[in-house]
Amino acid sequence: MFTTRLLTPKDIDNGIFKAVYSHFENAFIPDERRGIKDLEFTDADGKRIIRGLETLVKEQKLENSNVSFLCTFSGESEKEILNNPHEAFRAGSLFYIFPATNFVFVEYLFSAKEHMGKGYGMMLLVKRALKDYIKPAGVKRAFAEVEREGDFSNPTERKIAEERLKLFERLGGLPLLADYVQPNYSPEKKPVPLHPLLLNFDGEKNISNTEFINFMKAFYHDIYGLQTPNHQYITHIIDSIKGHEFVEQRESRYSKDLHLGLKQLFLER
């Protein structure tokens, strides 16, 4: 049996957050990982404030969004999980709902390394996060950042990136044809070129240029602490889609089994 629930401030003290974070560290390269504590620094375009994971567990409301850290554990009771939270952890997802722009951003979706490929991430995202939190919020689109498989020369790392893309493709999420860069999480970390991935819950493809830009401005502010709407990261992605009425999505590459009931899930009463 399994328990799926949001991380809460008490988990920072009882050892569960620490156990989840150890799996989080194993799932992403350092430049893609948000830190534990808040960080304030200045880059070429001004001050930035990056919220740490502890803050996002303690304070769920940001300026443009509400954040949730949802995890699945093996065990029916809190006592079973607390007995060995590291072994009990199966999957986790950190996601933000942007009510004004009708988006949800899935920043992280990861599984315990020893349980990868067993469907825990899919179960967490579809059966709990989408159904219990995202659909009730009334959002229409999901956004995610996914590694560009062509950036990896190591076969194992490339395979992991392809599997992550395959999971989103099976949900109907496909990369947008835009030049996107994940801003650096700290002065010591590097920006990371990634696929900007879009999932439309009505089953349609693509997104209007205007709608995408409006979301990206709110997104970059809450997620990466960009304080100005003309920050270099924002102008970079705007320039990459300039002149297009719609931002198109590429075709599926890794899965033939698309839209696993998502359209029905979000249209059903």
Side-chain angles (χ1 to χ4, degrees):
M1 298 295 292
F2 299 95
T3 297
T4 297
R5 66 168 180 81
L6 296 175
L7 293 187
T8 65
K10 70 176 184 179
D11 295 319
I12 295 172
D13 300 319
N14 65 19
I16 290 179
F17 177 86
K18 182 178 180 181
V20 171
Y21 188 78
S22 67
H23 290 287
F24 170 79
E25 280 189 303
N26 287 330
F28 302 98
I29 63 174
D31 288 333
E32 293 181 11
R33 296 199 301 258
R34 182 179 296 274
I36 294 178
K37 303 291 185 182
D38 287 356
L39 181 66
E40 184 173 334
F41 62 97
T42 301
D43 66 12
D45 293 276
K47 184 177 71 172
R48 289 175 58 194
I49 301 172
I50 305 293
R51 298 300 178 196
L53 286 173
E54 284 191 355
T55 296
L56 297 179
V57 170
K58 294 176 180 177
E59 303 170 12
Q60 288 80 37
K61 188 170 180 57
L62 304 178
E63 184 169 329
N64 302 293
S65 62
N66 299 305
V67 61
S68 300
F69 202 152
L70 190 67
C71 294
T72 294
F73 303 91
S74 174
E76 296 184 72
S77 68
E78 193 77 357
K79 185 176 180 179
E80 288 182 77
I81 298 170
L82 285 169
N83 186 50
N84 194 335
H86 188 274
E87 291 295 327
F89 177 79
R90 291 294 181 270
S93 181
L94 183 72
F95 57 91
Y96 307 70
I97 292 172
F98 288 77
T101 51
N102 289 315
F103 264 88
V104 60
F105 168 54
V106 182
E107 183 173 21
Y108 297 112
L109 177 63
F110 60 104
S111 300
K113 190 174 183 179
E114 60 270 27
H115 295 289
M116 287 181 63
K118 296 181 180 179
Y120 291 115
M122 179 75 77
M123 179 175 65
L124 175 69
L125 188 62
V126 176
K127 293 187 177 180
R128 295 303 305 271
L130 289 173
K131 188 175 181 180
D132 296 343
Y133 296 92
I134 297 169
K135 181 184 177 184
V139 298
K140 298 178 180 178
R141 308 180 189 276
F143 180 76
E145 308 161 318
V146 186
E147 292 94 340
R148 303 189 308 185
E149 62 276 44
D151 289 343
F152 296 96
S153 57
N154 181 293
T156 300
E157 293 177 339
R158 182 183 178 107
K159 182 66 175 177
I160 292 173
E162 290 174 351
E163 286 298 318
R164 198 166 275 142
L165 276 163
K166 183 178 180 179
L167 185 150
F168 282 108
E169 284 186 359
R170 293 179 67 201
L171 295 173
L174 297 165
L176 287 162
L177 300 180
D179 191 6
Y180 172 80
V181 177
Q182 173 205 280
N184 53 315
Y185 277 115
S186 72
E188 295 76 28
K189 294 185 178 181
K190 298 177 182 178
V192 183
L194 296 169
H195 286 308
L197 187 142
L198 176 70
L199 190 161
N200 286 323
F201 295 140
D202 59 6
E204 298 298 321
K205 292 184 64 176
N206 311 324
I207 183 173
S208 75
N209 184 308
T210 300
E211 186 179 358
F212 183 56
I213 290 172
N214 287 340
F215 164 68
M216 291 306 296
K217 289 178 179 179
F219 162 79
Y220 270 134
H221 179 280
D222 277 18
I223 309 304
Y224 296 110
L226 309 192
Q227 304 299 311
T228 59
N230 60 344
H231 195 284
Q232 58 179 312
Y233 287 111
I234 298 175
T235 57
H236 177 79
I237 197 165
I238 290 175
D239 288 344
S240 77
I241 59 177
K242 189 176 293 183
H244 296 272
E245 183 180 357
F246 291 92
V247 188
E248 297 183 353
Q249 292 176 277
R250 80 177 192 188
E251 296 299 317
S252 172
R253 294 182 181 179
Y254 304 104
S255 177
K256 297 179 181 179
D257 187 12
L258 303 182
H259 306 287
L260 290 178
L262 279 187
K263 186 172 183 179
Q264 289 72 22
L265 176 63
F266 278 85
L267 293 180
E268 69 184 9
R269 299 294 178 184

Coordinates of all heavy atoms in Angstrom, one line a residue, residues 71-115:
C71 N 4.4 13.9 -2.7 CA 5.2 12.7 -2.7 C 4.4 11.5 -2.4 O 3.4 11.5 -1.7 CB 6.3 12.8 -1.6 SG 7.5 14.2 -1.9
T72 N 4.9 10.4 -3.0 CA 4.3 9.0 -2.8 C 5.3 8.2 -2.0 O 6.5 8.2 -2.3 CB 4.0 8.3 -4.1 OG1 3.0 9.0 -4.7 CG2 3.5 6.9 -3.8
F73 N 4.8 7.6 -0.9 CA 5.6 6.7 -0.1 C 5.0 5.3 0.0 O 3.8 5.2 0.0 CB 5.8 7.3 1.3 CG 6.3 8.7 1.4 CD1 5.5 9.8 1.4 CD2 7.7 8.9 1.5 CE1 6.0 11.1 1.4 CE2 8.2 10.1 1.6 CZ 7.3 11.2 1.5
S74 N 5.9 4.3 0.2 CA 5.4 3.0 0.5 C 5.0 2.9 2.0 O 5.7 3.4 2.9 CB 6.5 2.0 0.3 OG 6.1 0.7 0.7
G75 N 3.8 2.4 2.3 CA 3.3 2.4 3.6 C 1.9 3.0 3.8 O 1.6 4.0 3.1
E76 N 1.1 2.5 4.7 CA -0.2 3.1 4.9 C -0.3 4.1 6.0 O -1.2 4.9 6.0 CB -1.2 1.9 5.3 CG -1.4 0.9 4.2 CD -2.4 -0.1 4.6 OE1 -3.6 0.2 4.6 OE2 -2.0 -1.3 4.9
S77 N 0.7 4.2 6.9 CA 0.6 5.1 8.0 C 1.9 6.0 8.1 O 2.9 5.6 7.5 CB 0.5 4.3 9.3 OG 1.7 3.6 9.6
E78 N 1.7 7.1 8.8 CA 2.9 8.0 9.0 C 4.0 7.3 9.8 O 5.2 7.5 9.5 CB 2.4 9.2 9.8 CG 3.4 10.4 9.8 CD 3.3 11.1 8.5 OE1 2.6 10.8 7.5 OE2 4.1 12.1 8.4
K79 N 3.6 6.4 10.7 CA 4.6 5.7 11.5 C 5.5 4.8 10.6 O 6.7 4.7 10.7 CB 3.9 4.8 12.5 CG 4.9 4.1 13.5 CD 4.1 3.3 14.5 CE 5.1 2.6 15.5 NZ 4.4 1.9 16.5
E80 N 4.9 4.1 9.6 CA 5.6 3.3 8.7 C 6.6 4.1 7.8 O 7.8 3.7 7.6 CB 4.7 2.5 7.7 CG 3.9 1.4 8.4 CD 3.0 0.7 7.3 OE1 3.5 -0.1 6.5 OE2 1.8 1.0 7.3
I81 N 6.2 5.3 7.4 CA 7.0 6.2 6.6 C 8.2 6.7 7.4 O 9.3 6.7 7.0 CB 6.2 7.3 6.0 CG1 5.1 6.8 5.1 CG2 7.1 8.3 5.3 CD1 4.1 7.8 4.6
L82 N 7.9 7.1 8.7 CA 8.9 7.7 9.5 C 10.0 6.7 9.9 O 11.1 7.0 10.3 CB 8.3 8.3 10.8 CG 7.5 9.6 10.6 CD1 6.7 10.0 11.8 CD2 8.5 10.7 10.3
N83 N 9.6 5.4 9.9 CA 10.5 4.4 10.3 C 11.7 4.3 9.4 O 12.8 4.0 9.9 CB 9.8 3.0 10.3 CG 10.6 1.9 10.9 OD1 11.2 2.0 11.9 ND2 10.7 0.8 10.1
N84 N 11.5 4.5 8.1 CA 12.6 4.6 7.2 C 12.2 5.4 5.9 O 11.8 4.8 4.9 CB 13.0 3.2 6.8 CG 14.4 3.2 6.0 OD1 14.8 4.2 5.5 ND2 15.1 2.1 6.1
P85 N 12.1 6.7 6.0 CA 11.6 7.5 5.0 C 12.4 7.4 3.7 O 11.8 7.5 2.6 CB 11.7 9.0 5.5 CG 12.7 8.9 6.6 CD 12.5 7.5 7.2
H86 N 13.7 7.2 3.7 CA 14.5 7.0 2.5 C 14.1 5.8 1.7 O 13.9 5.9 0.5 CB 16.0 6.9 2.9 CG 16.9 7.0 1.6 ND1 17.2 5.9 0.9 CD2 17.5 8.0 1.0 CE1 18.0 6.2 -0.1 NE2 18.2 7.5 0.0
E87 N 13.9 4.7 2.4 CA 13.4 3.5 1.7 C 12.0 3.6 1.3 O 11.6 2.9 0.3 CB 13.6 2.2 2.6 CG 15.1 1.9 2.9 CD 15.8 1.5 1.6 OE1 15.2 0.8 0.7 OE2 17.0 1.7 1.5
A88 N 11.2 4.3 2.0 CA 9.8 4.4 1.7 C 9.4 5.3 0.5 O 8.4 5.1 -0.1 CB 9.0 4.9 3.0
F89 N 10.3 6.2 0.2 CA 10.1 7.2 -0.9 C 10.0 6.5 -2.2 O 10.8 5.6 -2.5 CB 11.2 8.2 -0.9 CG 11.0 9.2 -2.1 CD1 10.1 10.2 -2.0 CD2 11.7 9.0 -3.2 CE1 9.9 11.1 -3.1 CE2 11.6 9.9 -4.3 CZ 10.7 10.9 -4.2
R90 N 9.0 6.8 -3.0 CA 8.8 6.3 -4.4 C 8.9 7.3 -5.4 O 9.6 7.2 -6.4 CB 7.5 5.5 -4.5 CG 7.4 4.2 -3.6 CD 8.4 3.2 -4.2 NE 8.3 2.0 -3.4 CZ 9.0 1.7 -2.4 NH1 9.9 2.6 -1.9 NH2 8.9 0.5 -1.7
A91 N 8.2 8.5 -5.3 CA 8.2 9.5 -6.3 C 7.8 10.8 -5.7 O 7.1 10.9 -4.7 CB 7.2 9.1 -7.4
G92 N 8.2 11.9 -6.4 CA 7.9 13.3 -5.9 C 7.7 14.2 -7.1 O 8.3 14.0 -8.2
S93 N 6.9 15.3 -6.8 CA 6.7 16.3 -7.8 C 6.5 17.6 -7.2 O 5.7 17.8 -6.2 CB 5.5 16.0 -8.7 OG 5.3 17.0 -9.7
L94 N 7.3 18.6 -7.6 CA 7.1 20.0 -7.2 C 6.4 20.8 -8.3 O 6.9 20.8 -9.4 CB 8.5 20.6 -6.9 CG 8.4 22.1 -6.3 CD1 7.9 22.0 -4.9 CD2 9.8 22.7 -6.3
F95 N 5.2 21.3 -8.0 CA 4.5 22.0 -9.1 C 3.8 23.3 -8.6 O 3.5 23.4 -7.4 CB 3.5 21.1 -9.8 CG 2.4 20.5 -8.8 CD1 1.2 21.1 -8.6 CD2 2.7 19.3 -8.2 CE1 0.3 20.6 -7.7 CE2 1.7 18.7 -7.3 CZ 0.5 19.4 -7.1
Y96 N 3.6 24.2 -9.5 CA 3.1 25.5 -9.2 C 1.9 25.8 -10.1 O 1.9 25.6 -11.3 CB 4.1 26.6 -9.5 CG 5.5 26.4 -9.0 CD1 6.4 25.4 -9.4 CD2 6.0 27.3 -8.0 CE1 7.6 25.3 -8.9 CE2 7.3 27.2 -7.5 CZ 8.1 26.2 -7.9 OH 9.3 26.0 -7.4
I97 N 0.8 26.3 -9.5 CA -0.4 26.6 -10.2 C -0.5 28.1 -10.4 O -0.4 28.9 -9.4 CB -1.7 26.1 -9.5 CG1 -1.7 24.5 -9.6 CG2 -2.9 26.7 -10.1 CD1 -2.8 23.9 -8.8
F98 N -0.6 28.6 -11.6 CA -0.7 30.0 -11.9 C -2.1 30.3 -12.3 O -2.5 30.2 -13.5 CB 0.3 30.4 -13.1 CG 1.7 30.3 -12.8 CD1 2.4 29.1 -12.6 CD2 2.4 31.5 -12.6 CE1 3.8 29.1 -12.3 CE2 3.8 31.5 -12.3 CZ 4.5 30.3 -12.2
P99 N -3.0 30.8 -11.4 CA -4.4 31.0 -11.6 C -4.7 32.0 -12.7 O -5.5 31.8 -13.6 CB -4.9 31.5 -10.3 CG -4.0 31.0 -9.3 CD -2.6 31.1 -9.9
A100 N -3.9 33.1 -12.8 CA -4.2 34.2 -13.7 C -4.0 33.8 -15.2 O -4.7 34.3 -16.1 CB -3.5 35.5 -13.4
T101 N -3.0 32.9 -15.4 CA -2.7 32.5 -16.8 C -3.1 31.1 -17.1 O -2.8 30.6 -18.2 CB -1.1 32.7 -17.0 OG1 -0.4 32.0 -16.0 CG2 -0.7 34.1 -17.0
N102 N -3.8 30.5 -16.1 CA -4.4 29.1 -16.4 C -3.3 28.1 -16.7 O -3.5 27.2 -17.5 CB -5.4 29.2 -17.5 CG -6.7 29.9 -17.0 OD1 -7.2 29.6 -15.9 ND2 -7.2 30.8 -17.9
F103 N -2.2 28.2 -16.0 CA -1.1 27.2 -16.2 C -0.7 26.5 -14.9 O -1.0 27.0 -13.8 CB 0.2 28.0 -16.7 CG 0.4 28.0 -18.1 CD1 -0.1 29.1 -18.9 CD2 1.2 27.1 -18.8 CE1 0.1 29.1 -20.3 CE2 1.4 27.2 -20.1 CZ 0.9 28.2 -20.9
V104 N -0.2 25.3 -15.1 CA 0.5 24.7 -14.0 C 1.9 24.4 -14.5 O 2.1 24.0 -15.7 CB -0.1 23.4 -13.5 CG1 -0.2 22.4 -14.6 CG2 0.6 22.8 -12.3
F105 N 2.9 24.7 -13.7 CA 4.3 24.4 -14.0 C 4.8 23.2 -13.2 O 4.8 23.3 -12.0 CB 5.2 25.6 -13.8 CG 6.7 25.3 -13.8 CD1 7.3 24.7 -14.9 CD2 7.5 25.6 -12.8 CE1 8.6 24.4 -15.0 CE2 8.9 25.4 -12.8 CZ 9.4 24.7 -13.9
V106 N 5.2 22.2 -13.8 CA 5.8 21.0 -13.1 C 7.3 21.2 -13.2 O 8.0 20.9 -14.2 CB 5.4 19.7 -13.8 CG1 6.0 18.5 -13.0 CG2 3.9 19.6 -13.9
E107 N 7.9 21.7 -12.0 CA 9.3 21.9 -12.0 C 10.1 20.7 -11.9 O 11.1 20.5 -12.6 CB 9.7 22.9 -10.9 CG 11.1 23.2 -10.8 CD 11.5 24.3 -9.8 OE1 10.8 24.5 -8.8 OE2 12.6 24.9 -10.0
Y108 N 9.6 19.8 -11.0 CA 10.4 18.5 -10.8 C 9.4 17.3 -10.8 O 8.3 17.4 -10.2 CB 11.2 18.5 -9.5 CG 12.3 19.6 -9.5 CD1 12.2 20.7 -8.6 CD2 13.4 19.5 -10.3 CE1 13.2 21.6 -8.6 CE2 14.4 20.4 -10.3 CZ 14.3 21.5 -9.4 OH 15.2 22.5 -9.4
L109 N 9.7 16.3 -11.5 CA 9.1 15.0 -11.3 C 10.1 13.9 -11.3 O 10.9 13.8 -12.3 CB 8.1 14.7 -12.5 CG 7.4 13.4 -12.6 CD1 6.4 13.3 -11.4 CD2 6.6 13.2 -13.9
F110 N 10.2 13.2 -10.2 CA 11.3 12.2 -10.1 C 10.9 11.0 -9.2 O 10.0 11.1 -8.5 CB 12.6 12.9 -9.4 CG 12.3 13.5 -8.1 CD1 12.8 12.8 -6.9 CD2 11.6 14.7 -7.9 CE1 12.6 13.3 -5.7 CE2 11.4 15.2 -6.6 CZ 11.9 14.5 -5.5
S111 N 11.6 9.9 -9.4 CA 11.4 8.7 -8.7 C 12.7 8.3 -8.0 O 13.8 8.7 -8.3 CB 10.9 7.6 -9.6 OG 9.8 7.9 -10.3
A112 N 12.5 7.4 -7.0 CA 13.7 6.8 -6.4 C 14.5 6.0 -7.4 O 13.8 5.3 -8.3 CB 13.3 5.9 -5.2
K113 N 15.8 6.2 -7.5 CA 16.6 5.5 -8.5 C 16.3 4.1 -8.7 O 16.2 3.5 -9.8 CB 18.1 5.8 -8.3 CG 19.0 5.4 -9.4 CD 20.4 5.8 -9.1 CE 21.3 5.5 -10.3 NZ 22.7 5.9 -10.0
E114 N 16.2 3.4 -7.6 CA 16.0 1.9 -7.6 C 14.6 1.5 -8.0 O 14.3 0.4 -8.2 CB 16.3 1.3 -6.2 CG 15.4 1.8 -5.1 CD 16.1 3.1 -4.4 OE1 16.8 3.8 -5.1 OE2 15.8 3.3 -3.2
H115 N 13.7 2.5 -8.1 CA 12.3 2.3 -8.6 C 11.9 2.9 -9.9 O 10.7 3.0 -10.2 CB 11.3 2.7 -7.5 CG 11.5 1.9 -6.2 ND1 11.1 0.6 -6.1 CD2 12.0 2.3 -5.0 CE1 11.3 0.2 -4.9 NE2 11.9 1.2 -4.2

